[in-house]
Amino acid sequence: MAGKEKGEFGYLNYRKKLNLIKMIVSFAVVAAVLIIGFIVYKTRANIFTFAASVLVLPAAKMAVAYFVVLPHKPADNELKEKVESKSGSLGVYYDLIFSNSKKPIGTQAVVVSDAAVIALTNENNADKKLFETSLKDFMANDSRNVNVTLYNDEKSFLSRVSTLALSKDDSTPNMNIEKNAHSLLSMCI
């Protein structure tokens, strides 16, 4: 399983598989330690039971990490091709899950320019206002002043990507785009 970086196409599927493997292995270790204690001491009251109960904590953390990414849907190849064809020299990131104070919001595609961040989600219950304000505030703490918009409609999103790409001056360096991208990626799971 080749590693994927956050924002890379296919990252969400990679993260789901990796978190599932970590969870299964960690609970298997807990079960093995508990069973070894029963076999060796023939009683539940032993040091292995204590060790297994302590090992449940990191195993539970692995389970939470898996169940956080589980409900989110990754981008498909068709969407990737459409976004890549329209984005020009803008920053494009896929399969991101943004954390906030209430509920993580999954996105299929995020396009970053020097002054705007636009995202596409297929989650019907995604809180648009929460996403936009939390990302804008997070980036403002990083001294990044951008407009943030979350789209549920692919057509509107792609239209906005085209508009941003046309307004981008390719002769200027992409320093602001890279700084904006770095800031928003640090908010993602």
Side-chain angles (χ1 to χ4, degrees), residues 32-184:
V33 169
L34 193 60
I35 291 169
I36 289 171
F38 286 146
I39 291 171
V40 171
Y41 291 104
K42 312 254 188 287
T43 179
R44 191 178 55 133
N46 61 60
I47 192 69
F48 286 95
T49 303
F50 174 74
S53 64
V54 171
L55 289 173
V56 163
L57 296 173
K61 182 181 177 187
M62 302 296 173
V64 167
Y66 174 68
F67 289 115
V68 164
V69 298
L70 185 62
H72 302 287
K73 305 278 187 285
D76 57 12
N77 285 323
E78 181 183 337
L79 175 65
K80 180 183 184 234
E81 290 170 10
K82 289 177 185 176
V83 172
E84 296 288 331
S85 70
K86 296 183 181 293
S87 63
S89 62
L90 299 173
V92 180
Y93 302 91
Y94 300 97
D95 299 340
L96 296 175
I97 300 172
F98 289 86
S99 61
N100 56 52
S101 60
K102 301 221 182 335
K103 180 182 177 186
I105 298 173
T107 60
Q108 281 63 52
V110 178
V111 176
V112 181
S113 76
D114 9 4
V117 173
I118 60 171
L120 175 67
T121 184
N122 65 0
E123 297 177 8
N124 295 329
N125 60 350
D127 189 342
K128 179 178 167 122
K129 184 173 172 45
L130 174 66
F131 176 84
E132 292 172 357
T133 56
S134 62
L135 182 56
K136 188 171 180 139
D137 291 346
F138 185 86
M139 292 184 73
N141 288 338
D142 227 6
S143 302
R144 310 303 314 152
N145 185 21
V146 295
N147 292 322
V148 178
T149 310
L150 179 65
Y151 291 91
N152 284 62
D153 176 43
E154 185 178 317
K155 186 177 178 184
S156 302
F157 173 75
L158 292 172
S159 172
R160 180 69 174 132
V161 170
S162 296
T163 305
L164 282 176
L166 290 174
S167 66
K168 165 83 171 78
D169 181 10
D170 287 336
S171 64
T172 60
N174 291 339
M175 289 302 291
N176 279 337
I177 292 176
E178 291 172 16
K179 288 178 182 177
N180 290 344
H182 177 70
S183 180
L184 80 87

